[in-house]
Amino acid sequence: MSRQTFPVQTDSMSRGSNLRIRAHSLLESVQHLSRHALVTLLVWLLIGVALSLPTGLWLVQHNIHRLAQQLHDDTGLTVYFLPTSLSKEIEEVRKHLVQSTIVQTIEMTSSEQAMEEFQRVTGYDQELLALDENPLPASLSVVLQPDVPATDIEALVTSVSNYATVDSVDFDTEWIRNLNAIHQVVSTLMWIVGALFGFGVVFVTFASVRLAIESKFRELRVLSLIGASDRYLRRPFIYCGILYGFGGGVVATAIVFGALFAIKDPLHQLVQGYGGTIHLVSLNYFSASVEIALGTLLGYLGALFVSISEIQKRRTFESIH
């Protein structure tokens, strides 16, 4: 019985001792950050700014994509016919549009209906009666399917414009190309800036933890002489890097929320001036948690690299001397 229970007791004591060592290392890291509060705040601010910029670009490209989707879902085209067009010629164009897979609905407006609508809106009844003929053409109002590529829309517009009875097709695809181009540029810029500032976060953590290691050179040397392992020596500095990254992620989240709050009212007034509405995609709890976790991971990586490098360097120095 005693032989069966002894390993369990040993494992329990080992786990408890390991937890105490880790808790002591964490406490030591917190004390180091609190003793150098000004440096800690500066590091958090640097990491926060570095993380907030790619996050802001991600929100911009996400909002551009959402705006493009919203506008694209409401897109359609209007086909205007020549005043001399016959009903069978208009029907031929309508059948061509019905066969297209990107067309959702088609509504025809005859020249008489267009005249009645114009009279109702403008109130110019007597003036229009004085005209010898109806100057308003027949038209087809076409609503397109959502998520249709711009190239397919342009192909449809070209095919419809080739009909001799079609006077013009009212549809502007330029804004779609421009919006997609802006989205592509912002998306590419987001990845570039994200990679650069990600390295920046690692470098800031690397430099900060290296200073912490330098400040404890004598203590590390004593612990090394009495047999402390490299893992034991690295652990407090790795925790410092994790705390640097975590605090920087919190600061970055606060910066992004503050920026969104600052532009919310001016943007709302701007959109209202054009008679529209817009709903910004903001950080939610999940995306904010991802940003904080990313900052923590980058802080951990920076601290891990520098602690391995510096402690191994000190081991080599001690072995030589």
Side-chain angles (χ1 to χ4, degrees):
M1 289 292 292
S2 60
R3 289 185 178 181
Q4 293 177 352
T5 58
F6 180 74
V8 177
Q9 291 177 356
T10 303
D11 291 342
S12 177
M13 292 174 61
S14 178
R15 285 194 296 268
S17 177
N18 191 28
L19 289 176
R20 285 194 298 270
I21 293 173
R22 291 179 180 273
H24 176 74
S25 299
L26 179 60
L27 179 61
E28 186 178 352
S29 302
V30 173
Q31 290 174 349
H32 174 79
L33 267 61
S34 62
R35 284 196 301 266
H36 304 83
L38 184 60
V39 175
T40 301
L41 292 176
L42 181 60
V43 172
W44 282 349
L45 182 60
L46 290 173
I47 294 176
V49 171
L51 290 175
S52 63
L53 290 177
T55 303
L57 287 175
W58 174 79
L59 286 174
V60 169
Q61 70 94 16
H62 197 60
N63 278 290
I64 290 175
H65 178 70
R66 181 174 178 179
L67 178 61
Q69 288 293 111
Q70 179 181 348
L71 294 175
H72 199 279
D73 290 345
D74 298 332
T75 56
L77 55 90
T78 304
V79 181
Y80 294 100
F81 295 91
L82 295 172
T84 58
S85 300
L86 302 177
S87 298
K88 62 179 183 179
E89 295 173 332
I90 297 175
E91 181 63 20
E92 183 181 355
V93 176
R94 193 191 70 83
K95 288 182 179 179
H96 172 72
L97 290 170
V98 168
Q99 293 174 355
S100 176
T101 57
I102 68 173
V103 173
Q104 187 173 17
T105 60
I106 303 175
E107 182 180 353
M108 178 178 176
T109 303
S110 65
S111 58
E112 292 78 12
Q113 291 173 332
M115 176 64 75
E116 292 175 0
E117 181 68 18
F118 186 79
Q119 289 175 343
R120 185 182 65 82
V121 174
T122 62
Y124 294 152
D125 295 334
Q126 300 300 325
E127 292 82 356
L128 293 175
L129 290 175
L131 298 175
D132 295 334
E133 58 183 14
N134 185 357
L136 300 179
S139 62
L140 293 175
S141 298
V142 182
V143 178
L144 302 178
Q145 297 284 357
D147 303 327
V148 179
T151 53
D152 292 349
I153 299 175
E154 292 177 358
L156 180 64
V157 172
T158 302
S159 65
V160 173
S161 300
N162 289 332
Y163 282 88
T165 55
V166 174
D167 183 23
S168 64
V169 180
D170 186 10
F171 185 80
D172 184 15
T173 59
E174 188 66 26
W175 65 269
I176 296 180
R177 288 194 295 268
N178 291 339
L179 203 58
N180 288 334
I182 293 173
H183 176 267
Q184 186 65 33
V185 169
V186 174
S187 180
T188 304
L189 188 62
M190 176 196 68
W191 287 109
I192 295 174
V193 172
L196 291 176
F197 281 93
F199 283 117
V201 171
V202 174
F203 177 77
V204 169
T205 309
F206 187 99
S208 303
V209 175
R210 188 175 185 276
L211 290 176
I213 294 175
E214 292 287 347
S215 66
K216 293 190 175 184
F217 175 77
R218 293 183 178 179
E219 181 179 345
L220 291 175
R221 188 174 183 181
V222 172
L223 291 174
S224 178
L225 290 174
I226 62 177
S229 65
D230 288 353
R231 181 178 296 180
Y232 180 85
L233 297 177
R234 289 196 304 262
R235 188 176 291 123
F237 304 107
I238 291 177
Y239 285 158
C240 279
I242 291 174
L243 293 175
Y244 281 140
F246 177 83
V250 173
V251 172
T253 304
I255 291 174
V256 173
F257 273 119
L260 291 174
F261 181 79
I263 68 172
K264 181 179 180 180
D265 290 339
L267 184 61
H268 182 68
Q269 293 174 3
L270 176 64
V271 175
Q272 273 190 335
Y274 290 93
T277 57
I278 188 171
H279 301 284
L280 281 176
V281 177
S282 181
L283 285 179
N284 52 26
Y285 290 113
F286 176 75
S287 54
S289 300
V290 169
E291 184 174 26
I292 294 173
L294 181 61
T296 304
L297 175 62
L298 293 175
Y300 165 77
L301 292 176
L304 181 63
F305 294 155
V306 69
S307 61
I308 292 176
S309 173
E310 290 297 316
I311 290 176
Q312 183 62 36
K313 187 188 301 182
R314 300 197 186 313
R315 290 284 196 190
T316 305
F317 177 82
E318 291 171 3
S319 64
I320 295 176
H321 295 78

Coordinates of all heavy atoms in Angstrom, one line a residue, residues 80 92 129 133 158 169 182 199 218 232 249 251 270 291 300 321:
Y80 N -32.9 52.1 -71.3 CA -33.8 53.0 -72.0 C -33.8 52.7 -73.5 O -32.7 52.5 -74.1 CB -33.3 54.4 -71.7 CG -33.4 54.9 -70.3 CD1 -32.3 54.9 -69.4 CD2 -34.6 55.3 -69.8 CE1 -32.4 55.3 -68.1 CE2 -34.7 55.7 -68.4 CZ -33.6 55.7 -67.6 OH -33.7 56.1 -66.3
E92 N -38.0 41.5 -76.9 CA -36.8 40.7 -77.2 C -35.7 41.0 -76.3 O -35.0 40.1 -75.8 CB -36.4 41.0 -78.7 CG -35.2 40.2 -79.1 CD -34.7 40.6 -80.6 OE1 -35.5 41.4 -81.2 OE2 -33.7 40.0 -81.0
L129 N -49.4 68.1 -72.3 CA -50.5 67.9 -73.3 C -50.3 68.7 -74.6 O -50.8 68.3 -75.7 CB -51.9 68.3 -72.7 CG -52.4 67.4 -71.6 CD1 -53.7 67.9 -71.0 CD2 -52.6 65.9 -72.1
E133 N -46.0 64.6 -79.4 CA -45.7 63.2 -79.1 C -45.1 63.0 -77.7 O -44.6 64.0 -77.2 CB -44.8 62.6 -80.2 CG -43.5 63.3 -80.3 CD -42.6 62.7 -81.4 OE1 -43.2 62.0 -82.3 OE2 -41.4 63.0 -81.5
T158 N -22.8 45.3 -71.7 CA -22.3 45.4 -73.1 C -23.3 44.6 -74.0 O -23.6 45.1 -75.1 CB -20.9 44.8 -73.1 OG1 -20.1 45.5 -72.2 CG2 -20.4 44.8 -74.5
V169 N -27.9 52.4 -71.4 CA -28.1 51.6 -70.2 C -27.5 52.4 -69.0 O -26.3 52.7 -69.1 CB -27.3 50.2 -70.4 CG1 -27.5 49.4 -69.1 CG2 -27.9 49.5 -71.6
I182 N -9.9 50.0 -53.7 CA -9.5 50.6 -52.4 C -9.5 49.4 -51.4 O -8.6 49.4 -50.5 CB -10.6 51.6 -52.0 CG1 -10.4 52.9 -52.9 CG2 -10.4 52.1 -50.5 CD1 -11.5 53.9 -52.7
F199 N 6.6 42.6 -35.8 CA 8.1 42.5 -35.5 C 8.5 43.7 -34.5 O 9.3 43.5 -33.7 CB 8.9 42.7 -36.8 CG 8.9 41.4 -37.6 CD1 8.4 41.4 -38.9 CD2 9.5 40.2 -37.1 CE1 8.4 40.2 -39.6 CE2 9.5 39.1 -37.8 CZ 9.0 39.0 -39.1
R218 N 23.9 40.2 -11.6 CA 24.6 39.5 -10.5 C 23.7 38.5 -9.8 O 24.2 37.4 -9.5 CB 24.9 40.6 -9.4 CG 26.0 41.6 -9.9 CD 26.3 42.6 -8.8 NE 27.4 43.5 -9.2 CZ 27.9 44.5 -8.5 NH1 27.4 44.7 -7.2 NH2 28.8 45.3 -8.9
Y232 N 14.5 27.9 -15.1 CA 14.2 28.6 -13.9 C 14.6 30.1 -14.0 O 13.9 31.0 -13.6 CB 14.9 28.0 -12.7 CG 14.6 28.7 -11.4 CD1 13.5 28.5 -10.6 CD2 15.5 29.7 -10.9 CE1 13.2 29.1 -9.4 CE2 15.3 30.3 -9.7 CZ 14.2 30.1 -9.0 OH 13.9 30.7 -7.8
G249 N -1.8 44.9 -25.4 CA -3.0 44.6 -26.1 C -4.2 45.3 -25.5 O -5.1 45.7 -26.3
V251 N -4.1 48.3 -24.1 CA -4.0 49.6 -24.5 C -4.4 49.8 -26.0 O -5.1 50.8 -26.3 CB -2.5 50.1 -24.3 CG1 -2.3 51.5 -25.0 CG2 -2.2 50.2 -22.8
L270 N -22.2 63.2 -41.4 CA -21.8 63.2 -42.8 C -22.7 62.3 -43.7 O -23.2 62.8 -44.7 CB -20.3 62.8 -43.0 CG -19.8 62.6 -44.4 CD1 -19.8 64.0 -45.1 CD2 -18.4 62.0 -44.4
E291 N -7.1 40.4 -30.1 CA -6.1 41.5 -30.2 C -5.2 41.4 -28.9 O -4.0 41.4 -29.0 CB -6.7 42.8 -30.3 CG -5.6 43.9 -30.4 CD -6.3 45.3 -30.7 OE1 -7.4 45.5 -30.3 OE2 -5.6 46.1 -31.3
Y300 N 5.3 37.3 -25.5 CA 6.0 36.0 -25.0 C 7.1 35.6 -26.0 O 8.2 35.2 -25.5 CB 4.9 34.9 -25.0 CG 5.5 33.5 -25.0 CD1 6.0 33.0 -23.8 CD2 5.5 32.7 -26.1 CE1 6.5 31.7 -23.7 CE2 6.0 31.4 -26.1 CZ 6.5 30.9 -24.9 OH 7.0 29.7 -24.8
H321 N 35.3 31.9 -18.0 CA 36.0 32.5 -16.9 C 36.0 31.7 -15.7 O 36.3 32.1 -14.6 CB 35.4 33.9 -16.6 CG 35.7 34.9 -17.8 ND1 35.0 34.9 -18.9 CD2 36.6 35.8 -17.9 CE1 35.4 35.8 -19.7 NE2 36.4 36.4 -19.1

